[in-house]
Amino acid sequence: MSLEPIITILSILLTTLLSINNSITFISLLKYLGLKTDHVIYMIALSNIIGIILFSNMITPPTTCSTNDQTSVYPELISLFTGLIISILIATLTGTSLLATMALVFSTAGIYMISGRPVSEWIIRVFETWIILGTLSIILTIILRIFITKVLNLQKRDLTKTLFLYKIFSTTTYLTISILLAGNNIGFLSSLTCHQNLLYMIFSPVSLLILLARPEKYKNIYEKILMTISRHYSITLSTHVMLIIANTIGIPISYTFIITLSYTTTVLTGASLGARKIIRRIMKNWIYSITIAFLISLSVFFMLRIF
């Protein structure tokens, strides 16, 4: 029995869930700016599709990609995709935020190493990139926070203009980050199948339209993180730059990883009510996401070996 149809179905389902998981953040933030829910969902769905088309092929796979030998990787792919699908569903049912990209990267590294595939160079490259981009994010956020605070202090007399520009900037930035993030995250999933299922994945963001049924559910932790103008500008600009770099060098990266580092930096450079509680909650979600996804993937992997 060919496993290719199963891989295709799982990749479509996982891409759909990942698109929803990533996009709820931006839907929530755009709604916070006063935009209508249906308009926001249409814009985010379109931005996801654009990102997948433009940037997915830029992300490199963990191992040398050979379409002739692709069938040998199917057990690993089934276990990885099934693990993340189940963990996303668990997170949805329990109301817990899931860091899907980070969970997938760690699960991929673990499963591939257990199966004896040469991924050590890729793992080292990913971690080195995360450290470098994390450091750059911290430095850039500090510089931007100081600069933007001074600019805003000069603009206090023209508050109406400042708020108008803030809304335009925020909307444009969120949509741009959504494009870059979709290309990065979905691109990594696509790279695991040598981009063979990319055509199916392109249309998965259309699934976001089902979110029109329950617009009251879009509450997100990042509303509190980005609630001040100076903090918002410095964090989103820094995140924007880091995603561009990650896509350019072909490395998957977690949006939450970058935004949390940037947020922690803004806390150090300015007072923030409830900051420790928010950071602690995000850190717990990191542990939860990586552990649950990996354990489920590992269980499925060994079950496939037995049967």
Side-chain angles (χ1 to χ4, degrees):
M1 176 184 174
S2 174
L3 295 177
E4 187 171 353
I6 298 176
I7 295 293
T8 301
I9 293 171
L10 289 176
S11 63
I12 294 172
L13 180 57
L14 180 53
T15 310
T16 298
L17 292 172
L18 188 59
S19 294
I20 294 174
N21 186 74
N22 285 343
S23 298
I24 285 178
T25 296
F26 301 106
I27 292 171
S28 172
L29 291 170
L30 287 169
K31 279 186 60 185
Y32 186 72
L33 293 173
L35 278 68
K36 292 183 177 180
T37 301
D38 53 348
H39 295 168
V40 167
I41 292 175
Y42 292 138
M43 287 190 294
I44 293 297
L46 181 60
S47 67
N48 273 243
I49 293 173
I50 292 172
I52 294 171
I53 294 173
L54 293 180
F55 299 110
S56 286
N57 281 312
M58 298 174 68
I59 308 302
T60 55
T63 58
T64 302
C65 201
S66 173
T67 53
N68 296 327
D69 190 39
Q70 190 64 17
T71 54
S72 64
V73 192
Y74 283 171
E76 287 95 327
L77 293 181
I78 290 176
S79 61
L80 286 170
F81 290 175
T82 303
L84 198 59
I85 287 170
I86 294 175
S87 59
I88 290 178
L89 290 176
I90 291 174
T92 302
L93 293 174
T94 59
T96 306
S97 175
L98 179 79
L99 311 184
T101 305
M102 187 170 286
L104 181 59
V105 168
F106 275 90
S107 295
T108 301
I111 296 296
Y112 274 35
M113 288 182 70
I114 291 171
S115 62
R117 299 193 179 278
V119 292
S120 56
E121 290 186 9
W122 176 79
I123 296 171
I124 293 172
R125 186 179 174 215
V126 168
F127 286 157
E128 285 178 346
T129 303
W130 284 6
I131 292 171
I132 293 171
L133 292 185
T135 304
L136 287 175
S137 176
I138 291 172
I139 295 172
L140 184 59
T141 302
I142 293 173
I143 295 172
L144 288 171
R145 182 75 188 271
I146 295 171
F147 174 75
I148 292 169
T149 300
K150 290 184 177 180
V151 172
L152 289 174
N153 287 335
L154 295 175
Q155 297 292 327
K156 279 185 176 179
R157 294 180 180 179
D158 198 354
L159 185 59
T160 303
K161 181 180 178 181
T162 300
L163 292 175
F164 175 73
L165 293 175
Y166 170 71
K167 187 172 182 178
I168 293 177
F169 169 83
S170 300
T171 303
T172 305
T173 303
Y174 290 149
L175 291 175
T176 306
I177 291 178
S178 178
I179 290 172
L180 294 169
L181 186 65
N184 185 279
N185 291 181
I186 305 302
F188 177 55
L189 278 178
S190 176
S191 74
L192 296 176
T193 62
C194 294
H195 297 294
Q196 290 182 3
N197 290 327
L198 183 57
L199 181 62
Y200 305 109
M201 294 178 175
I202 287 174
F203 300 101
S204 61
V206 176
S207 61
L208 294 175
L209 300 183
I210 66 175
L211 297 177
L212 289 170
R214 304 185 72 184
E216 74 281 358
K217 289 292 182 181
Y218 311 140
K219 289 293 180 183
N220 196 278
I221 192 171
Y222 301 113
E223 287 180 6
K224 295 181 180 179
I225 289 179
L226 302 173
M227 63 189 300
T228 65
I229 294 180
S230 62
R231 187 193 303 163
H232 169 270
Y233 278 141
S234 57
I235 290 176
T236 52
L237 282 173
S238 177
T239 303
H240 190 276
V241 173
M242 297 309 115
L243 280 170
I244 290 176
I245 296 174
N247 283 357
T248 302
I249 61 180
I251 292 294
I253 194 165
S254 170
Y255 168 76
T256 309
F257 170 71
I258 294 297
I259 199 173
T260 302
L261 286 178
S262 299
Y263 174 56
T264 305
T265 304
T266 61
V267 171
L268 295 176
T269 56
S272 177
L273 184 63
R276 291 183 180 179
K277 183 178 179 180
I278 294 174
I279 294 172
R280 191 160 47 242
R281 178 181 168 187
I282 294 174
M283 295 298 182
K284 287 180 180 179
N285 286 346
W286 282 8
I287 298 171
Y288 163 86
S289 303
I290 294 169
T291 304
I292 296 296
F294 178 68
L295 289 178
I296 295 174
S297 296
L298 192 63
S299 300
V300 174
F301 177 71
F302 283 118
M303 285 175 62
L304 288 174
R305 278 193 165 184
I306 294 172
F307 296 106

